[in-house]
Amino acid sequence: MRDRIDLAISISRPLRDSSLVRRHLADWPLILCAAPAYLERKGNPRAPADLARHDLLALPQTHHPTDVLTGADGREHRVTIKPRVVSNNQALIRHLTLKGAGLSFQAAPEVRAELGDGRLVRVLPEWATQVLSVDALMPARNPQPAKVRMAIQVLKEHLAPGRATDDVSARER
């Protein structure tokens, strides 16, 4: 608010207490990925417990915790891995993953092309982690400026299921 920003986009866990108005735009599932070269070198984990033997590239836990995986039957497994690399830059984490430096959790829509062309492979596809909330955040105003309302509408349409945010299809797994 101090910088007079009309609209910010947040991709994270939903904010708890905030003076900002939140408009939910989409849900993005996190998926565990690796480059084929990494899996050839280190092997493909078959269960969450196998992750302890692998190199994890991660954002700080405060960004989006990935320490609990949920199976199709609802069973949860707590993963305790000391990441090989921790960075607050998701682009760096994705770059290192593509180069074969380790496994990383990525928002599914952000790695669709890499999964589709085989540069990345989904790891433990039967296990899920949390879903990231894509939200528009803005100062409380009544009414919101027309430019803010229009931007939110365009973002909602662009991020609608079936477009950029649908889960990774079976052919990409």
Side-chain angles (χ1 to χ4, degrees):
M1 286 198 256
R2 176 181 66 244
D3 295 329
R4 301 181 53 88
I5 294 173
D6 291 315
L7 179 69
I9 305 301
S10 170
I11 303 172
S12 65
R13 297 174 293 183
L15 295 177
R16 291 194 179 139
D17 297 321
S18 173
S19 62
L20 299 174
V21 174
R22 172 185 172 260
R23 294 285 182 264
H24 182 69
L25 301 173
D27 289 320
W28 282 4
L30 280 176
I31 58 172
L32 186 59
C33 305
Y38 174 84
L39 296 175
E40 287 173 21
R41 193 172 67 253
K42 298 285 265 186
N44 198 346
R46 301 287 177 215
D50 296 344
L51 295 176
R53 296 189 312 271
H54 285 269
D55 299 322
L56 183 67
L57 313 169
L59 290 172
Q61 279 292 95
T62 55
H63 280 60
H64 51 70
T66 52
D67 58 344
V68 176
L69 298 176
T70 305
D73 59 359
R75 167 176 57 122
E76 289 187 348
H77 180 83
R78 182 161 300 277
V79 179
T80 32
I81 304 171
K82 183 173 188 227
R84 176 179 181 195
V85 173
V86 176
S87 172
N88 66 355
N89 185 323
Q90 184 67 31
L92 173 65
I93 297 296
R94 185 175 308 111
H95 177 76
L96 291 172
T97 305
L98 285 163
K99 294 295 182 185
L103 306 167
S104 69
F105 287 94
Q106 299 286 326
E110 293 184 344
V111 291
R112 177 166 281 111
E114 292 87 348
L115 290 165
D117 65 19
R119 288 181 289 154
L120 288 179
V121 175
R122 188 164 180 185
V123 176
L124 298 176
E126 62 283 357
W127 290 85
T129 187
Q130 79 173 54
V131 173
L132 296 178
S133 184
V134 181
D135 301 308
L137 305 173
M138 65 215 92
R141 296 184 199 145
N142 198 4
Q144 286 292 338
K147 65 183 177 181
V148 172
R149 291 191 314 268
M150 178 76 72
I152 290 171
Q153 182 60 36
V154 168
L155 286 166
K156 276 187 155 197
E157 290 171 8
H158 179 73
L159 298 172
R163 289 191 46 103
T165 61
D166 57 348
D167 196 1
V168 180
S169 67
R171 69 177 167 71
E172 294 173 320
R173 288 185 183 169

